[in-house]
Structure formats: C-alpha cells, structure tokens
Amino acid sequence: MQQLVAELQEAGIGHVRLNEPLAGHTTWKIGGPADLLLVPETDSQLAAALKLLKRYDVPWCALGRGSNTLVSDKGVRGAVIKLGDGFDDARFDGETVSVGASYSFIKLSVMSGKEGLTGLEFAGGIPGTVGGAVYMNAGAHGSDISRILQSADIIWEDGSRAVLGKEEMGFSYRHSILHERKGIVTRAVFRLANGDRKEIAAALASYKDRRLRTQPLQMACAGSVFRNPPNDHAARLIEAAGLKGLREGAAEVSQLHANFIVNHGGAKAEDVLTLIRRVQRTIEQTYGILLVPEVLLLGER
C-alpha cells in the first residue's frame, strides 16, 4: 500500500488520504474508515488513479455525497474514490446542459429552472450528485434520468474512456449499465426543453414542500431504503405492517415516512442492517413480497 500511495502522489492524482473515516462523507453519518480515499480533480487524474489501482490489484468503489449509501462499521478495504471540485460545474447551451458528476443534483434542478428549462423538476428533492443520479437512474414524480439524459462520459476501471448515449446506458428502474460494468461517470449532458420560469419554480417549490412535510430530512438519513415493488410502494407496505417506529439501537424506521431509516445519533451500520432485515422478513411473511434495498452497501461485513 505504501508503494501505491507513493505512486499516486507522484502521479499528482489529487488528494490522497489514508484511513479516512467515512461517517463524515455519508448522509447517514455512519461508516468506518477507508484504507485509502482518493479525490481526483480531473479526468486524467481519475484515469491515472484507476490504472494504478488495477496494476496493484487494489479493489475500489466510488462515493458521491454519501446519500443512498450505507458504509460498514468496519470500513472499506482498498480505495474509495470521491470526485473533487474539478467535476463540480454546469454549462448551459440552449436546451442542453453539460454538468460535472460531482455537481449537486438538487442545485442542477434549481439552476435549470432559473434558465427557463423544464425537465429536471423531479430532481428538486433528490440528494446526491449528478454522477450518482446517472448511476442509479434516479427518479421521482413519474420521471427519471433516462428521460432526459443525452450522453454520459465514463472512465472504466482500466482507465479507458467512453461517451455513452442514452440507449447505451442500459437504463431500467434504479439501474444502469454501471451496475454490470465497473466505471465512474465524470460528466453528463441532459436535453431539456424551454419552459415557463414561474411554472418551473412553482413545481420545484411544491415538490420541496411535500418532501419537507413527509420525509425526515432534518435527521441523518439516506433517502428511500427500499425499491418500490411492482404496482405498489414500499412505504405503504411497511406502514401497513405497523413497522413505523421499529428501532434497533439508535436507528429507527421513521415515524414520518416508513421507507426511511433515521439515525438518532450514534447508530451503527449493523443497527441499520438489522432493521432492514427485520422489515424484509416481516413484509415477506405478511404480504409475500421481498423488498429489495435501494441503498448501496459498501465495505467489509
């Protein structure tokens, strides 16, 4: 590892941190240390880092703003890659916007509205980065990334680069090609449409107000824990089963929104995982439906 770190620093790939605690990098405020945290600032730095990790046979995973992610209490062996400020930009050109992968998805929706562009209103309450949103085909309110993406710049795990069009991204519900082939989105281009600024602002305000009223956003959480099963909603099933308020340690199934698990302070990843399993078991026994987690599990078990 010392030789790898030396080569990474020599290659100038950005920030290199050893044994970095990840709780401060996740919205759940949970997670042990990463052996190595890399924060590249350019495509070239990222490609160089991936090539070195491959040469040294060091496993890696990507982390955005840490929403939708549960990091193990034991931490993450190998490297965690978090794109730096060099990927935090948005450039508008007519009805398209080219945006770096570390740009806030919520901020993008607001900025698009100010430009008089419609199509991203659904993103107004989705935390995380643009890169994470593309990876997960994030969506809400009847829309998702697949409806507006024009292309995505990707660097694969061997350091090679590609630009994939929407049809090549393998989008389905909360899924993209990146679930099957390992790589990192560095930039996305979205095709929007001209709209009325007041109507866009009203839609964003309405979605924001609804989320503030129905979701425990003032607490440490990670968004929806489970994917919605076909023709139903995970939150409805969990609430109907009487599981709101179910608690394990400092982790609790939210009493405001049943598909959220909140951290009251000091919750462990194991507490959250125990709740996830208890909810899954109850819903399967009660309704014959296996809820599939939407959150990504990172690290050593």
Side-chain angles (χ1 to χ4, degrees):
M1 184 67 77
Q2 289 182 339
Q3 182 60 34
L4 169 61
V5 170
E7 290 199 40
L8 286 166
Q9 291 173 332
E10 191 175 313
I13 64 90
H15 300 290
V16 180
R17 304 174 191 170
L18 288 166
N19 299 313
E20 175 75 8
L22 294 178
H25 295 274
T26 70
T27 59
W28 242 326
K29 306 302 180 187
I30 292 173
D35 289 344
L36 196 59
L37 178 68
L38 306 179
V39 188
E41 299 291 345
T42 66
D43 282 13
S44 296
Q45 289 180 2
L46 174 58
L50 289 172
K51 288 176 182 177
L52 281 169
L53 292 172
K54 185 175 180 63
R55 178 148 64 85
Y56 279 87
D57 197 27
V58 172
W60 62 268
C61 60
L63 183 67
R65 292 181 180 239
S67 60
N68 203 47
T69 304
L70 180 63
V71 177
S72 165
D73 300 317
K74 297 179 181 178
V76 180
R77 305 288 71 81
V80 173
I81 299 174
K82 184 174 182 176
L83 300 184
D85 292 341
F87 297 92
D88 187 17
D89 69 295
R91 302 192 293 266
F92 290 89
D93 182 13
E95 295 184 352
T96 64
V97 54
S98 172
V99 57
S102 68
Y103 201 81
S104 162
F105 200 35
I106 291 176
K107 182 179 178 181
L108 179 63
S109 70
V110 173
M111 296 304 295
S112 297
K114 289 181 177 179
E115 292 286 330
L117 295 173
T118 184
L120 267 163
E121 290 88 336
F122 75 91
I126 300 178
T129 62
V130 166
V134 173
Y135 174 84
M136 287 297 295
N137 187 23
H141 308 295
S143 190
D144 60 27
I145 284 287
S146 71
R147 295 178 181 237
I148 57 172
L149 185 84
Q150 181 169 303
S151 65
D153 292 9
I154 296 171
I155 299 183
W156 301 114
E157 61 181 331
D158 62 358
S160 62
R161 308 182 191 195
V163 179
L164 299 187
K166 177 170 64 176
E167 298 76 13
E168 301 169 282
M169 286 297 296
F171 285 132
S172 59
Y173 179 64
R174 304 298 176 263
H175 179 274
S176 74
I177 192 175
L178 293 161
H179 290 239
E180 283 125 31
R181 183 178 178 188
K182 202 168 184 182
I184 296 179
V185 175
T186 60
R187 178 166 291 277
V189 177
F190 298 109
R191 168 69 68 176
L192 305 176
N194 289 314
D196 183 277
R197 285 179 172 82
K198 289 184 179 179
E199 290 181 1
I200 296 169
L204 286 170
S206 174
Y207 292 158
K208 180 179 180 180
D209 177 68
R210 180 180 174 186
R211 285 181 180 267
L212 289 173
R213 285 187 290 104
T214 62
Q215 298 178 3
L217 302 180
Q218 75 284 2
M219 303 186 71
C221 61
S224 295
V225 174
F226 298 102
R227 300 182 181 195
N228 288 324
N231 305 313
D232 210 335
H233 291 88
R236 188 198 71 78
L237 292 168
I238 297 167
E239 182 171 356
L243 297 179
K244 274 187 172 182
L246 185 66
R247 189 154 176 161
E248 183 72 29
E252 181 187 47
V253 175
S254 171
Q255 301 198 46
L256 187 61
H257 191 302
N259 199 18
F260 280 60
I261 292 176
V262 298
N263 176 5
H264 282 280
K268 303 295 185 183
E270 197 56 41
D271 296 333
V272 175
L273 282 173
T274 298
L275 279 184
I276 287 174
R277 295 183 189 114
R278 290 173 68 185
V279 168
Q280 285 178 309
R281 185 165 58 249
T282 300
I283 298 305
E284 187 169 25
Q285 291 173 347
T286 305
Y287 302 107
I289 296 172
L290 177 61
L291 292 180
V292 178
E294 182 171 316
V295 295
L296 304 176
L297 307 179
L298 298 183
E300 186 179 353
R301 298 295 161 201

